[in-house]
Amino acid sequence: MWKTILRRIILMIPQIFILSIIVFLLGAMLPGDALTGLIDPTISAEQIARQRELLGLNKPWPERYIDWISKAIRGDFGRSFAHKMPVTKIIGLRIWNTLWLSILTVILTYLIALPLGLFAGRYQYSGFDRFVNLYNFISYSIPTFVLGLLMLWLFGYTLGWFPTRGTIGSGVEVGTLSHSLSRLYHMILPAITLALLSTTGTIQYLRTGVIDAKTQDYVRTARAKGVPEEKIYSRHIFRNSLLPIASFMGYTLTGLISGSVITETIFTYQGMGDLFITSITGRDFSVMTALVLLFGLMTLLGTLLSDIIMVFVDPRIRIQ
């Protein structure tokens, strides 16, 4: 298995290289540059041209790409024009907020999806099953920004149960229990929003898996032997129905890390998604290209992680 994992990691190298070219080209094709809109109108055109020359913005894109990728390999993605600090430092400050938010979202997603999917499949065509199907339809069709604004208005402004912005309360000392609780308190509402929108696929996979498993020969054999119905579901049907969920568990986690852009923006949650939006609106290309490349890498790692989890859940399966 370890040889297979190593081979998969090696195959990821050309994929990342191709992704880096695409990301840099898209950034280079955008109108304007990092100095557009940030220059004092009283500054002469010669001074602006001199500044662009010092920053290397007037070079052809192949030269700029070679300079950028050679530094990126060493972990240097340049400096942010908006934040006036290294890009790696900015991402390092934001990535932990997004990571903890994603972990909490995954936990809430499975706490909601597992019982709904398993019992909807067991009690097919019942009132509970119809309720779950209705919930799936609504959660699949509602846009992220609509649910986010609704949750923000209801639980943030109207009821006042949760904070409406930020990642930490003011005046909280770093490293204390109050700091950790405040961070968790600010994560709950955006995590619930993401979880409600992320349960659809898991519920549907589980429901379908349970319905299919009920007709398998090993279930008929267990019933013929007089095995109690509760044991049939808990030891056979439910266990086998969880295998498809394990196959994309890793992708779910890494997908949330790179896919919480809208939610973080709505809740002003200072993670990588919020940083990505501000880097686009502020033409901070060094931050933007680094984040897109990181999001692509997360997707590749999520696929690999899902395969690894699948092997541990079912040793009969071997990733190719």
Side-chain angles (χ1 to χ4, degrees):
M1 183 183 71
W2 296 111
K3 291 182 179 179
T4 304
I5 295 174
L6 180 60
R7 185 167 63 249
R8 290 282 298 273
I9 293 175
I10 294 174
L11 289 175
M12 287 169 56
I13 296 177
Q15 293 176 321
I16 297 173
F17 176 72
I18 295 174
L19 176 63
S20 67
I21 297 177
I22 297 174
V23 168
F24 191 86
L25 276 176
L26 291 176
M29 291 169 61
L30 291 176
D33 54 35
L35 298 178
T36 303
L38 300 179
I39 298 297
D40 190 336
T42 60
I43 298 177
S44 64
E46 292 77 10
Q47 290 176 305
I48 296 176
R50 190 180 307 113
Q51 186 68 18
R52 284 197 170 95
E53 184 177 357
L54 291 174
L55 295 174
L57 299 177
N58 58 344
K59 294 180 180 179
W61 76 263
E63 293 184 26
R64 291 164 54 194
Y65 171 76
I66 293 174
D67 293 340
W68 176 72
I69 195 64
S70 61
K71 295 178 180 179
I73 293 174
R74 300 192 299 267
D76 181 11
F77 288 92
R79 292 180 62 86
S80 167
F81 294 97
H83 299 273
K84 309 300 180 183
M85 58 191 304
V87 174
T88 52
K89 186 175 182 180
I90 300 173
I91 295 177
L93 293 173
R94 297 292 191 99
I95 193 172
W96 290 107
N97 291 335
T98 300
L99 179 61
W100 289 119
L101 176 63
S102 300
I103 292 175
L104 180 60
T105 301
V106 170
I107 294 174
L108 294 176
T109 298
Y110 286 109
L111 285 177
I112 297 171
L114 289 180
L116 292 183
L118 292 175
F119 287 102
R122 177 173 181 176
Y123 303 107
Q124 186 182 10
Y125 304 126
S126 65
F128 180 78
D129 184 34
R130 287 193 291 270
F131 164 76
V132 171
N133 286 328
L134 177 62
Y135 165 80
N136 261 359
F137 175 78
I138 296 175
S139 63
Y140 182 76
S141 59
I142 188 170
T144 304
F145 71 92
V146 173
L147 181 61
L149 292 174
L150 179 62
M151 299 285 283
L152 192 64
W153 169 78
L154 179 60
F155 297 104
Y157 291 105
T158 304
L159 299 177
W161 290 357
F162 300 100
T164 57
R165 59 185 297 130
T167 56
I168 196 73
S170 59
V172 180
E173 185 178 353
V174 179
T176 61
L177 178 61
S178 300
H179 180 270
S180 300
L181 293 177
S182 179
R183 183 183 294 274
L184 177 62
Y185 185 45
H186 282 74
M187 284 194 298
I188 291 177
L189 194 56
I192 292 176
T193 303
L194 284 171
L196 291 175
L197 297 172
S198 303
T199 55
T200 305
T202 304
I203 291 175
Q204 199 61 36
Y205 270 109
L206 285 173
R207 181 181 179 274
T208 304
V210 172
I211 293 173
D212 291 341
K214 289 191 297 185
T215 62
Q216 297 299 315
D217 292 336
Y218 64 86
V219 174
R220 297 193 186 97
T221 302
R223 286 197 176 102
K225 292 181 177 180
V227 178
E229 196 72 11
E230 292 297 328
K231 288 187 177 180
I232 292 176
Y233 274 95
S234 61
R235 295 185 180 182
H236 299 284
I237 297 178
F238 285 172
R239 182 178 298 179
N240 287 285
S241 300
L242 291 173
L243 291 179
I245 305 303
S247 65
F248 58 84
M249 185 178 295
Y251 180 78
T252 301
L253 177 59
T254 56
L256 286 170
I257 293 176
S258 59
S260 57
V261 175
I262 297 177
T263 304
E264 288 186 3
T265 304
I266 291 174
F267 291 94
T268 323
Y269 185 84
Q270 296 179 352
M272 292 196 299
D274 179 68
L275 178 63
F276 182 63
I277 293 296
T278 55
S279 66
I280 294 176
T281 56
R283 295 185 177 88
D284 201 348
F285 295 116
S286 55
V287 177
M288 181 184 64
T289 51
L291 285 175
V292 174
L293 187 62
L294 180 61
F295 292 159
L297 179 61
M298 288 291 182
T299 302
L300 295 176
L301 290 177
T303 305
L304 177 61
L305 183 59
S306 295
D307 291 339
I308 295 173
I309 293 175
M310 195 64 179
V311 171
F312 282 105
V313 172
D314 189 353
R316 298 171 299 176
I317 299 174
R318 291 294 180 265
I319 55 179
Q320 300 298 325

